[in-house]
């Protein structure tokens, strides 16, 4: 456990030692604000909730999180530091989890910095703060899902641009699989259980049900097991490709 | 002199290519083993398997009794490893980087601080301790890599080209450091600089095409040179044929070759019969003939010649 913490600390410090942290946080805050007020019609709706804010999170994450995750392993392999790291007395899963957690904590910091949004809505009305807390939790879990996918894509290549594009594409598949547009393609000619399976892999479906304030264990389990799966895939790919 | 590294039948295949083909050897405390071989011979791959980075296709390595495949953590704790190119996190400072390595190795508090400052002194990194690693020169980066490897005072040191990219002074410093650490440790280093083997290694091993082709002391290797123990004699030019005939008459001389003339001087190489020590006789012959001798010496043998003979692809006979 101690070594995971050491890795987490180093990685997190790495974000703040480079302009990555500032750029990511500023852009995340600007975009989430702009989306909420302009596209989400926060004021026009006249309702004291943060639905217009959280509704855009899957799309923000789709583009921003791959940018954060692409360097996780690609850089490590390109610089050759992976060889030094993996010959320290540490297990593969400690490294994979430590690096992932650092990126996740960093996303959590960015997400926490949207607190003025929460203050605003509380000043304007009486929102259901329980729903908002659940939504934040759902958003964080979803960010973890995107990060785990990004981690795996980053393990596939030394090239960060390729890692970015792959993560966006795979992330998009997971977002869209719950979209009516995509589901309509399947409905009518496929058996019902396939339709259910496709939509059950959707980030949107699970995120929406959490952000309604219903903390269903199944939704939490979905994100947790998704993260575990992609991290396991990351470790496997690194093990296979480290000779290259 | 306990065995600290025990390697048996190490083999690595990449697809259809056999990079390392059944390498076995042991290294004891106090030994400095030099890994020699042309590029692509399998030196780095062997080191990557010993340190647990690559999983061997066959065979295994035991570090202080711990199998790198079965007890990787215990084995890795006892190894200090400098990978090829001395990689490090470019956006960190040497001080933060060494602290990170120390913490990963389970050091903390005062102990960690002392180890870091002690190691920094050993490799002379004090002046750049707070500069980002990406701004450091190649020599500093290499020394940082070395610092990272020796930080926890490991029993086994594995160094992949430790002096590559260093200037002659820095090379000398690093070799001195390796020699001072040698008595308590087992050290394996790879190099393609032959003088390095003579300078620091107690034992040299040449690897070609994934196999060990020779293993012995640097002196043993020199002994394999065709010019080992030959006498080089340089004298003022005269009747070259008569001189050559005179030299050939000496007891114990097998062959005399004229190596060339430069203006006033002629150089001969005199090959002794096996096991004969003939420098005194050659000297006496020169005095008797009243030749003007400019140089007279015994050649120890050229390591690079041995290296080429053992590793170069055999050319077709013409």
């Amino acid at each position: 456990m101690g070594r995971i913490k050491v890795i987490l600390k180093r990685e997190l410090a790495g974000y703040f030692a480079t302009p990555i942290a500032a750029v990511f946080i500023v852009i995340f805050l600007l975009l989430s604000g702009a989306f909420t007020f302009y596209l989400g019609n926060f004021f026009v709706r006249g309702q004291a909730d943060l639905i217009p804010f959280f509704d855009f999170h899957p799309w923000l994450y789709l583009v921003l999180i791959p940018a954060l995750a692409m360097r996780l392993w690609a850089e490590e392999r390109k610089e050759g530091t992976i060889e030094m790291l993996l010959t320290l007395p540490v297990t593969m899963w400690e490294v994979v989890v430590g690096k992932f957690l650092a990126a996740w904590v960093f996303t959590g910091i960015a997400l926490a910095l949207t607190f003025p949004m929460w203050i605003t809505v509380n000043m304007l009305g009486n929102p259901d703060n329980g729903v908002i807390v659940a939504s934040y939790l759902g958003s964080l879990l979803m960010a973890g899902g995107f990060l785990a996918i990004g981690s795996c894509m980053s393990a596939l290549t030394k090239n960060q641009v390729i890692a970015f594009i792959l993560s966006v594409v795979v992330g998009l598949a997971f977002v869209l699989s719950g979209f009516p547009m995509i589901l309509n393609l399947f409905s009518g000619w496929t058996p019902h259980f396939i339709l259910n399976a496709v939509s059950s892999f959707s980030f949107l479906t699970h995120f929406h049900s959490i952000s309604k304030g219903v903390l269903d264990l199944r939704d939490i389990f979905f994100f947790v097991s998704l993260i575990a799966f992609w991290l396991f895939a990351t470790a496997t790919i690194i093990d296979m490709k480290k000779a290259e | 002199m306990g065995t600290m590294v025990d390697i048996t039948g190490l083999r690595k295949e990449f697809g259809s290519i056999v990079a390392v083909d059944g390498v076995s050897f042991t290294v004891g405390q106090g030994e400095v083993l030099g890994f020699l071989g042309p590029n692509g011979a399998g030196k780095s791959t062997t080191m990557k398997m010993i340190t647990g980075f690559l999983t061997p296709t066959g065979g295994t390595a035991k570090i202080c009794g711990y199998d790198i495949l079965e007890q990787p953590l215990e084995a890795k704790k006892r190894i200090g490893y400098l990978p090829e190119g001395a990689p490090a996190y470019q956006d960190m400072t040497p001080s933060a980087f060494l602290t990170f390595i120390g913490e990963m190795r389970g050091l903390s508090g005062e102990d960690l601080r002392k180890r870091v400052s002690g190691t920094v002194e050993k490799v002379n990194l004090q002046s750049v301790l707070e500069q980002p690693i990406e701004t450091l020169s190649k020599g500093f980066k290499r020394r940082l890599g070395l610092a990272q490897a020796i930080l926890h005072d490991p029993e086994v040191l594995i160094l992949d080209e430790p002096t590559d990219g260093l200037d002659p002074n820095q090379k000398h410093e690093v070799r001195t450091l390796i020699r001072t650490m040698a008595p308590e440790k087992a050290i394996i280093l790879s190099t393609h600089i032959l003088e390095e083997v003579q300078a620091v290694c107690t034992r040299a091993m040449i690897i070609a095409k994934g196999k060990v082709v020779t293993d012995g002391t640097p002196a043993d290797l020199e002994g394999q040179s065709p010019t080992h123990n030959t006498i080089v004699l340089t004298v003022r030019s005269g009747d070259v044929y008569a001189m050559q005939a005179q030299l050939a008459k000496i007891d114990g001389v097998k062959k005399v070759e004229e190596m060339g003339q430069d203006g006033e001087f002629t150089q001969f190489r005199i090959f002794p019969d096996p096991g004969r020590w003939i420098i005194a006789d050659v000297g006496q012959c020169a005095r008797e003939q009243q030749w003007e001798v400019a140089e007279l010496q015994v050649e120890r043998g050229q390591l690079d010649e041995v290296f080429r003979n053992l590793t170069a692809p055999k050319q077709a006979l013409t």
Side-chain angles (χ1 to χ4, degrees), chain A residues 90-153:
Chain A
V90 64
T91 62
M92 176 71 87
W93 76 269
E94 286 172 321
V95 180
V96 170
V97 170
K99 279 169 109 34
F100 166 78
L101 283 181
W104 206 13
V105 167
F106 178 75
T107 321
I109 293 172
L111 189 59
L113 288 175
T114 61
F115 71 92
M117 206 66 86
W118 177 66
I119 294 176
T120 309
V121 79
N122 269 286
M123 280 165 61
L124 294 174
N126 289 309
D128 184 340
N129 281 318
V131 171
I132 292 178
V133 169
S135 302
Y136 266 112
L137 186 71
S139 178
L140 189 60
L141 279 170
M142 184 169 60
F146 278 111
L147 273 175
I149 292 172
S151 157
C152 185
M153 298 303 128

Side-chain angles (χ1 to χ4, degrees), chain B residues 80-261:
Chain B
Y81 177 38
L82 171 68
E84 199 175 357
Y89 295 111
Q90 300 297 314
D91 48 17
M92 295 179 98
T93 63
S95 146
F97 180 67
L98 290 176
T99 305
F100 164 69
I101 298 289
E103 284 174 343
M104 287 296 282
R105 293 210 175 265
L107 302 169
S108 63
E110 186 61 13
D111 187 30
L112 172 63
R113 211 188 51 74
K114 269 192 193 151
R115 287 283 179 91
V116 170
S117 62
T119 310
V120 161
E121 253 168 62
K122 266 189 205 161
V123 297
N124 276 325
L125 276 177
Q126 298 94 323
S127 57
V128 295
L129 220 42
E130 301 303 332
Q131 288 178 28
I133 294 171
E134 60 191 344
T135 65
L136 301 185
S137 69
K138 213 171 168 190
F140 277 123
K141 284 183 186 170
R142 188 66 44 152
R143 281 187 271 167
L144 176 64
L146 203 61
Q148 161 274 123
I150 61 174
L151 185 68
H152 57 300
D153 195 20
E155 289 150 279
V156 174
L157 256 186
I158 296 181
L159 310 170
D160 203 346
E161 297 186 358
T163 60
D164 186 41
L166 300 184
D167 68 34
N169 292 335
Q170 294 166 336
K171 274 185 186 158
H172 177 75
E173 276 170 39
V174 168
R175 285 172 193 162
T176 311
L177 180 66
I178 292 173
R179 268 197 303 266
T180 51
M181 291 187 302
E184 302 112 60
K185 300 185 194 304
I187 301 178
I188 302 176
L189 62 89
S190 79
T191 180
H192 41 239
I193 310 167
L194 296 154
E195 48 161 314
E196 194 150 288
V197 174
Q198 280 154 323
V200 294
C201 297
T202 60
R203 188 174 147 201
M205 189 180 266
I206 295 182
I207 296 186
K209 291 181 189 142
K211 287 187 167 134
V212 176
V213 288
T214 187
D215 178 1
T217 63
D220 287 342
L221 281 191
E222 285 166 1
Q224 293 186 26
S225 164
T227 60
H228 175 65
N229 255 351
T230 58
I231 311 286
V232 174
L233 170 68
T234 311
V235 293
R236 190 172 288 281
S237 298
D239 181 351
V240 173
Y241 291 110
M243 286 173 158
Q244 206 164 345
Q246 200 61 248
L247 286 168
K249 269 192 245 164
I250 300 169
D251 182 37
V253 169
K254 193 171 141 200
K255 193 169 76 168
V256 180
E257 264 177 21
E258 188 211 320
M259 289 163 71
Q261 311 189 11

Side-chain angles (χ1 to χ4, degrees), chain B residues 60 62 67-72:
Chain B
T60 192
K62 280 203 175 85
D67 191 304
I68 191 73
L69 295 173
E70 281 155 24
Q71 290 168 287

